Amino acid sequence: MQLSSSDAGFETGGDAELAAYLSRHSSPAACADALIRDAEGRVLLVDPTYKDGWDLPGGMLEDEEPEAGMVREVREELGLDVRAGRLLVVDTIPAAVYGRTILAFVYATEPARDPEGGFVLQDEEIGEARFVTEREALGMVPAELARRLGGAFAAERAGTTTALRHGRPAPAPGPGRQGA
């Protein structure tokens, strides 16, 4: 197993049998998105060329930690360096929706520079990027993302992290299980 520089400081050479087992185990797909605001509090949305509807900047993870994947995706899509802030949402999309369970993360972010200075769009993936009000954002994105984005707005205001299931509040733990 090869470790990246971001794995520095973590113990290596763990249980080889466990590592082999885990490498064969099916796993959910995962994506990580960025909630980026301008000085006026507007939200940055992107218009992907490969699917209908507006979206948050970010994308699918490539066997990497969610925070690192989100930072990479924003840099690739927009030419913008961001620092991940607080995790706002973890949304589990059940396998029944797309044929595979998907974990979707949304992070509050802090751009390294003023994003109003413009973007370098990745032409093959992003047609446009624009800042819009929260209300506009909720009306521009597909319904599933609007629910997740609404959860992110609420978590941001409350100073919490929200667990969702397909954009809706996750069911409470069953009897005998610890609550969050």
Side-chain angles (χ1 to χ4, degrees), residues 43-111:
V43 177
L44 181 64
L45 293 182
V46 295
D47 185 15
T49 59
Y50 56 88
K51 65 181 179 179
D52 292 334
W54 288 77
D55 205 346
L56 287 169
M60 298 304 292
L61 301 181
E62 298 177 358
D63 196 18
E64 60 199 332
E65 293 176 31
E67 184 178 305
M70 180 274 299
V71 169
R72 176 189 53 75
E73 283 284 342
V74 171
R75 185 178 305 119
E76 289 174 2
E77 290 178 351
L78 300 171
L80 181 64
D81 287 319
V82 295
R83 289 181 292 280
R86 189 165 41 83
L87 175 62
L88 299 172
V89 171
V90 177
D91 191 3
T92 302
I93 298 96
V97 177
Y98 296 110
R100 183 172 189 183
T101 298
I102 300 172
L103 299 177
F105 302 89
V106 179
Y107 288 90
T109 62
E110 183 180 320

Side-chain angles (χ1 to χ4, degrees), residues 11-32:
E11 185 176 323
T12 59
D15 183 333
E17 189 175 320
L18 178 59
Y21 167 76
L22 291 174
S23 71
R24 293 188 308 271
H25 199 287
S26 64
S27 59
C31 61

Side-chain angles (χ1 to χ4, degrees), residues 90-153:
V90 177
D91 191 3
T92 302
I93 298 96
V97 177
Y98 296 110
R100 183 172 189 183
T101 298
I102 300 172
L103 299 177
F105 302 89
V106 179
Y107 288 90
T109 62
E110 183 180 320
R113 64 171 171 77
D114 181 4
E116 287 289 349
F119 305 104
V120 179
L121 301 181
Q122 184 182 32
D123 290 336
E124 59 275 1
E125 284 194 29
I126 305 298
E128 185 180 349
R130 105 171 53 143
F131 284 99
V132 298
T133 66
E134 286 185 13
R135 177 180 229 141
E136 290 171 321
L138 293 171
M140 291 170 67
V141 299
E144 176 185 320
L145 180 55
R147 292 190 305 265
R148 184 179 312 135
L149 186 53
F153 293 155

